[in-house]
Coordinates of all heavy atoms in Angstrom, one line a residue:
M188 N 23.6 -17.1 -4.6 CA 24.8 -17.8 -3.9 C 25.8 -16.8 -3.5 O 26.1 -15.8 -4.2 CB 25.4 -18.7 -5.0 CG 26.7 -19.3 -4.5 SD 27.5 -20.3 -5.8 CE 26.5 -21.7 -5.7
E189 N 26.3 -17.0 -2.3 CA 27.3 -16.1 -1.8 C 28.7 -16.5 -2.2 O 29.1 -17.6 -2.3 CB 27.3 -16.1 -0.2 CG 26.4 -15.1 0.4 CD 26.8 -14.8 1.8 OE1 27.4 -15.7 2.5 OE2 26.6 -13.7 2.3
A190 N 29.5 -15.4 -2.5 CA 30.9 -15.7 -2.9 C 31.7 -14.5 -2.4 O 31.2 -13.4 -2.1 CB 31.0 -15.9 -4.4
Y191 N 33.0 -14.7 -2.4 CA 33.9 -13.7 -1.9 C 34.3 -12.8 -3.1 O 34.7 -13.3 -4.1 CB 35.1 -14.4 -1.3 CG 36.1 -13.4 -0.6 CD1 35.8 -12.9 0.6 CD2 37.2 -13.0 -1.3 CE1 36.7 -12.0 1.2 CE2 38.1 -12.1 -0.7 CZ 37.8 -11.6 0.6 OH 38.7 -10.7 1.2
C192 N 34.2 -11.5 -2.9 CA 34.6 -10.6 -3.9 C 36.0 -10.0 -3.6 O 36.2 -9.5 -2.5 CB 33.6 -9.4 -4.0 SG 34.2 -8.1 -5.2
L193 N 36.9 -10.2 -4.6 CA 38.3 -9.7 -4.4 C 38.4 -8.2 -4.3 O 39.3 -7.7 -3.7 CB 39.2 -10.3 -5.5 CG 39.4 -11.8 -5.4 CD1 40.1 -12.3 -6.6 CD2 40.1 -12.3 -4.2
K194 N 37.5 -7.6 -5.1 CA 37.5 -6.1 -5.1 C 37.0 -5.5 -3.8 O 37.6 -4.6 -3.2 CB 36.7 -5.6 -6.2 CG 37.4 -5.6 -7.6 CD 36.6 -4.8 -8.6 CE 37.4 -4.8 -9.9 NZ 36.6 -4.0 -10.9
C195 N 35.9 -6.0 -3.3 CA 35.3 -5.5 -2.1 C 35.9 -6.1 -0.8 O 35.8 -5.5 0.3 CB 33.8 -5.8 -2.0 SG 32.9 -5.2 -3.4
R196 N 36.6 -7.2 -1.0 CA 37.1 -8.0 0.1 C 36.0 -8.3 1.1 O 36.2 -8.2 2.3 CB 38.3 -7.2 0.8 CG 39.4 -7.0 -0.1 CD 40.5 -6.1 0.5 NE 41.6 -6.0 -0.4 CZ 42.8 -6.6 -0.3 NH1 43.0 -7.4 0.6 NH2 43.7 -6.4 -1.2
E197 N 34.9 -8.6 0.6 CA 33.7 -9.0 1.4 C 32.9 -10.1 0.7 O 33.0 -10.2 -0.5 CB 32.8 -7.8 1.7 CG 33.3 -7.0 2.8 CD 32.3 -5.9 3.1 OE1 31.1 -6.1 3.0 OE2 32.7 -4.7 3.2
K198 N 32.1 -10.8 1.5 CA 31.2 -11.8 0.8 C 30.0 -11.0 0.4 O 29.4 -10.2 1.0 CB 30.8 -12.8 1.9 CG 31.8 -14.0 1.9 CD 31.2 -15.1 2.7 CE 32.1 -16.4 2.5 NZ 31.4 -17.5 3.1
R199 N 29.6 -11.4 -0.9 CA 28.4 -10.8 -1.4 C 27.5 -11.8 -2.1 O 28.0 -12.9 -2.4 CB 28.8 -9.7 -2.5 CG 29.8 -8.7 -2.1 CD 29.1 -7.3 -2.1 NE 30.1 -6.3 -1.7 CZ 30.0 -5.5 -0.7 NH1 29.0 -5.7 0.2 NH2 30.8 -4.6 -0.4
E200 N 26.3 -11.5 -2.4 CA 25.4 -12.4 -3.1 C 25.7 -12.2 -4.6 O 25.7 -11.1 -5.1 CB 23.9 -12.0 -2.8 CG 22.9 -13.0 -3.4 CD 23.0 -14.3 -2.7 OE1 23.3 -14.4 -1.5 OE2 22.6 -15.3 -3.4
M201 N 26.1 -13.3 -5.2 CA 26.5 -13.3 -6.6 C 25.4 -12.9 -7.6 O 24.3 -13.4 -7.4 CB 27.1 -14.6 -7.0 CG 28.3 -14.7 -7.9 SD 28.6 -16.3 -8.4 CE 29.6 -16.9 -7.0
V202 N 25.7 -12.1 -8.6 CA 24.7 -11.8 -9.7 C 25.0 -12.8 -10.9 O 26.2 -13.0 -11.2 CB 24.8 -10.4 -10.1 CG1 23.9 -10.1 -11.3 CG2 24.5 -9.4 -9.0
N203 N 24.0 -13.3 -11.5 CA 24.2 -14.2 -12.6 C 25.1 -15.3 -12.4 O 26.1 -15.5 -13.1 CB 24.6 -13.4 -13.9 CG 23.6 -12.4 -14.4 OD1 22.4 -12.7 -14.3 ND2 24.0 -11.3 -14.9
P204 N 24.9 -16.1 -11.3 CA 25.8 -17.2 -11.0 C 25.7 -18.2 -12.1 O 24.6 -18.6 -12.5 CB 25.3 -17.8 -9.7 CG 23.9 -17.3 -9.6 CD 23.8 -16.0 -10.3
T205 N 26.9 -18.7 -12.6 CA 26.9 -19.6 -13.7 C 27.8 -20.8 -13.3 O 29.0 -20.6 -13.0 CB 27.5 -19.0 -15.0 OG1 26.7 -17.8 -15.3 CG2 27.4 -19.9 -16.2
A206 N 27.2 -22.0 -13.4 CA 28.0 -23.2 -13.1 C 29.0 -23.5 -14.2 O 28.7 -23.4 -15.4 CB 27.1 -24.4 -12.9
I207 N 30.2 -23.8 -13.8 CA 31.3 -24.1 -14.9 C 32.1 -25.3 -14.4 O 32.1 -25.6 -13.2 CB 32.2 -22.9 -15.1 CG1 32.9 -22.5 -13.8 CG2 31.5 -21.7 -15.7 CD1 34.2 -21.8 -14.1
W208 N 32.8 -25.9 -15.3 CA 33.8 -26.9 -14.9 C 35.2 -26.2 -15.2 O 35.4 -25.7 -16.3 CB 33.7 -28.1 -15.7 CG 32.4 -28.9 -15.4 CD1 31.3 -28.9 -16.1 CD2 32.2 -29.7 -14.3 NE1 30.3 -29.7 -15.5 CE2 30.9 -30.2 -14.4 CE3 33.0 -30.1 -13.2 CZ2 30.3 -31.1 -13.4 CZ3 32.4 -31.0 -12.2 CH2 31.1 -31.4 -12.3
M209 N 36.1 -26.3 -14.2 CA 37.4 -25.8 -14.4 C 38.2 -26.8 -15.2 O 37.9 -27.9 -15.4 CB 38.1 -25.5 -13.1 CG 37.3 -24.4 -12.3 SD 38.3 -23.9 -10.8 CE 38.1 -25.4 -9.8
K210 N 39.4 -26.3 -15.7 CA 40.3 -27.1 -16.6 C 40.7 -28.3 -15.8 O 41.0 -29.4 -16.5 CB 41.5 -26.3 -17.0 CG 41.2 -25.3 -18.1 CD 42.4 -24.5 -18.5 CE 42.0 -23.4 -19.5 NZ 43.2 -22.4 -19.7
N211 N 40.8 -28.2 -14.5 CA 41.3 -29.4 -13.8 C 40.1 -30.4 -13.4 O 40.3 -31.3 -12.7 CB 42.0 -29.0 -12.5 CG 41.1 -28.2 -11.6 OD1 39.9 -28.1 -11.8 ND2 41.7 -27.6 -10.6
G212 N 38.9 -30.1 -14.0 CA 37.8 -31.0 -13.8 C 37.0 -30.7 -12.6 O 36.1 -31.5 -12.3
K213 N 37.3 -29.7 -11.8 CA 36.6 -29.4 -10.6 C 35.4 -28.4 -10.9 O 35.5 -27.6 -11.7 CB 37.5 -28.8 -9.5 CG 38.5 -29.9 -9.0 CD 39.3 -29.3 -7.8 CE 40.1 -30.4 -7.2 NZ 41.1 -30.0 -6.2
P214 N 34.3 -28.6 -10.1 CA 33.2 -27.7 -10.3 C 33.4 -26.3 -9.7 O 34.0 -26.2 -8.6 CB 32.0 -28.4 -9.6 CG 32.7 -29.3 -8.6 CD 34.1 -29.6 -9.1
A215 N 32.9 -25.3 -10.3 CA 33.0 -24.0 -9.7 C 31.8 -23.1 -10.2 O 31.1 -23.6 -11.1 CB 34.3 -23.3 -10.1
T216 N 31.6 -22.0 -9.6 CA 30.5 -21.1 -10.1 C 31.1 -19.7 -10.3 O 31.9 -19.2 -9.4 CB 29.4 -21.0 -9.0 OG1 28.9 -22.3 -8.8 CG2 28.3 -20.1 -9.5
E217 N 30.8 -19.1 -11.4 CA 31.3 -17.8 -11.7 C 30.1 -16.8 -11.6 O 29.0 -17.1 -12.0 CB 31.8 -17.7 -13.2 CG 33.2 -18.0 -13.3 CD 33.6 -17.8 -14.8 OE1 32.8 -17.7 -15.7 OE2 34.8 -17.9 -15.0
G218 N 30.4 -15.6 -11.2 CA 29.3 -14.6 -11.2 C 29.9 -13.2 -11.1 O 31.1 -13.0 -11.2
T219 N 29.0 -12.2 -10.9 CA 29.4 -10.8 -10.9 C 29.0 -10.2 -9.5 O 28.0 -10.5 -9.0 CB 28.7 -10.0 -12.0 OG1 29.0 -10.7 -13.2 CG2 29.2 -8.6 -12.1
C220 N 29.9 -9.3 -9.0 CA 29.6 -8.7 -7.7 C 28.6 -7.6 -8.0 O 28.7 -6.8 -8.9 CB 30.9 -8.1 -7.2 SG 30.6 -7.1 -5.7
P221 N 27.5 -7.5 -7.2 CA 26.5 -6.5 -7.4 C 26.9 -5.1 -7.0 O 26.3 -4.1 -7.4 CB 25.3 -7.0 -6.5 CG 26.0 -7.8 -5.4 CD 27.2 -8.4 -6.1
V222 N 28.0 -5.0 -6.2 CA 28.4 -3.7 -5.7 C 29.6 -3.1 -6.6 O 29.5 -2.0 -7.1 CB 28.9 -3.8 -4.3 CG1 29.4 -2.5 -3.8 CG2 27.8 -4.3 -3.4
S223 N 30.6 -3.9 -6.8 CA 31.8 -3.4 -7.6 C 31.8 -3.8 -9.0 O 32.5 -3.3 -9.8 CB 33.1 -3.9 -6.9 OG 33.1 -5.3 -7.0
G224 N 30.9 -4.8 -9.4 CA 30.9 -5.3 -10.7 C 32.1 -6.2 -11.0 O 32.3 -6.6 -12.1
G225 N 32.9 -6.6 -10.0 CA 34.0 -7.4 -10.1 C 33.6 -8.9 -10.3 O 32.5 -9.3 -10.0
K226 N 34.5 -9.7 -10.9 CA 34.2 -11.1 -11.1 C 34.3 -11.8 -9.8 O 35.2 -11.6 -9.0 CB 35.2 -11.6 -12.2 CG 34.7 -12.8 -12.9 CD 35.6 -13.2 -14.0 CE 34.9 -14.2 -14.9 NZ 35.8 -14.6 -16.0
M227 N 33.3 -12.7 -9.6 CA 33.4 -13.6 -8.4 C 33.5 -15.0 -8.8 O 33.1 -15.4 -9.9 CB 32.1 -13.3 -7.6 CG 31.9 -11.9 -7.2 SD 30.3 -11.6 -6.4 CE 30.8 -11.9 -4.7
F228 N 34.0 -15.8 -8.0 CA 34.4 -17.2 -8.3 C 34.3 -18.0 -7.0 O 34.8 -17.6 -6.0 CB 35.8 -17.2 -8.8 CG 36.2 -18.5 -9.5 CD1 35.8 -18.7 -10.7 CD2 37.0 -19.4 -8.8 CE1 36.1 -19.9 -11.4 CE2 37.4 -20.6 -9.4 CZ 36.9 -20.8 -10.7
K229 N 33.6 -19.1 -7.1 CA 33.5 -20.0 -6.0 C 33.7 -21.4 -6.4 O 33.0 -21.9 -7.3 CB 32.1 -19.8 -5.3 CG 32.0 -20.5 -4.0 CD 30.7 -20.2 -3.3 CE 30.7 -20.7 -1.9 NZ 29.6 -20.3 -1.1
I230 N 34.6 -22.1 -5.7 CA 34.8 -23.5 -6.1 C 33.8 -24.3 -5.3 O 33.6 -24.1 -4.1 CB 36.3 -23.9 -5.7 CG1 37.2 -23.1 -6.6 CG2 36.5 -25.4 -5.8 CD1 38.7 -23.2 -6.2
G231 N 33.3 -25.3 -6.0 CA 32.4 -26.3 -5.3 C 31.3 -26.7 -6.1 O 30.9 -26.1 -7.1
M232 N 30.8 -27.9 -5.8 CA 29.7 -28.5 -6.5 C 28.4 -27.8 -6.1 O 28.1 -27.5 -4.9 CB 29.6 -30.0 -6.1 CG 28.8 -30.8 -7.0 SD 29.6 -31.2 -8.5 CE 28.3 -32.2 -9.3
T233 N 27.5 -27.6 -7.1 CA 26.2 -27.1 -6.8 C 25.1 -27.9 -7.5 O 25.5 -28.7 -8.4 CB 26.0 -25.6 -7.3 OG1 26.0 -25.6 -8.7 CG2 27.1 -24.7 -6.8
P234 N 23.9 -27.8 -7.2 CA 22.8 -28.6 -8.0 C 22.9 -28.3 -9.5 O 22.5 -29.1 -10.3 CB 21.5 -28.1 -7.3 CG 21.9 -27.6 -6.0 CD 23.3 -27.1 -6.1
A235 N 23.3 -27.1 -9.9 CA 23.4 -26.7 -11.3 C 24.4 -27.6 -12.0 O 24.2 -27.8 -13.2 CB 23.7 -25.3 -11.4
H236 N 25.4 -28.1 -11.3 CA 26.4 -29.0 -12.0 C 25.8 -30.3 -12.4 O 26.3 -31.0 -13.2 CB 27.6 -29.1 -11.1 CG 28.4 -27.9 -11.0 ND1 28.3 -27.0 -10.1 CD2 29.4 -27.5 -11.8 CE1 29.2 -26.0 -10.3 NE2 29.9 -26.3 -11.3
D237 N 24.7 -30.7 -11.7 CA 24.1 -32.0 -12.1 C 23.7 -32.1 -13.5 O 23.7 -33.1 -14.1 CB 22.9 -32.3 -11.1 CG 23.4 -32.6 -9.7 OD1 24.6 -32.9 -9.5 OD2 22.6 -32.4 -8.8
S238 N 23.2 -31.0 -14.0 CA 22.7 -30.9 -15.4 C 23.7 -30.3 -16.4 O 23.3 -30.1 -17.5 CB 21.3 -30.1 -15.4 OG 21.6 -28.9 -14.9
L239 N 24.9 -30.1 -15.9 CA 25.9 -29.5 -16.7 C 26.9 -30.6 -17.2 O 27.5 -31.2 -16.3 CB 26.6 -28.4 -16.0 CG 27.6 -27.6 -16.8 CD1 26.9 -26.7 -17.7 CD2 28.5 -26.7 -15.8
P240 N 26.9 -30.9 -18.5 CA 27.8 -32.0 -18.9 C 29.2 -31.7 -18.5 O 29.8 -30.6 -18.8 CB 27.6 -32.0 -20.4 CG 26.4 -31.2 -20.7 CD 26.3 -30.2 -19.6
K241 N 29.9 -32.7 -17.9 CA 31.3 -32.5 -17.5 C 32.2 -32.8 -18.7 O 32.0 -33.8 -19.4 CB 31.6 -33.6 -16.4 CG 32.9 -33.3 -15.8 CD 33.1 -34.2 -14.6 CE 34.4 -33.9 -13.8 NZ 34.5 -34.7 -12.6
P242 N 33.1 -31.9 -19.0 CA 34.0 -32.1 -20.2 C 34.9 -33.2 -20.0 O 35.3 -33.5 -18.8 CB 34.7 -30.7 -20.3 CG 34.6 -30.1 -18.9 CD 33.3 -30.6 -18.3
A243 N 35.2 -33.9 -21.0 CA 36.1 -35.1 -20.9 C 37.5 -34.7 -20.5 O 38.0 -33.7 -20.9 CB 36.1 -35.8 -22.3
Ligands
LIG357 ZN1 32.7 -6.4 -5.2

């Protein structure tokens, strides 16, 4: 999955993308930048969220 890296200021293919639910109940994906090792974050629903229990 592609996401924007704040360190590189470029779009990169995310390493170890992990589906999460944010505190406000919105879906997002967290991962690592393959170039800078910076944290990457992308808001939005993915197929992985279908099997991820949504917190109450
Ligand atoms: Zn980066």
Side-chain angles (χ1 to χ4, degrees):
M188 173 184 285
E189 266 203 333
Y191 187 80
C192 176
L193 292 171
K194 279 193 179 180
C195 302
R196 296 174 181 257
E197 275 183 45
K198 275 195 170 184
R199 305 246 186 243
E200 190 67 28
M201 216 190 276
V202 178
N203 294 327
T205 306
I207 59 156
W208 292 102
M209 295 190 289
K210 282 178 188 169
N211 61 12
K213 287 188 176 170
T216 303
E217 269 184 351
T219 306
C220 173
V222 178
S223 65
K226 204 170 191 182
M227 300 175 93
F228 193 78
K229 186 172 191 173
I230 294 171
M232 194 77 183
T233 69
H236 286 92
D237 290 339
S238 55
L239 187 69
K241 192 173 182 176

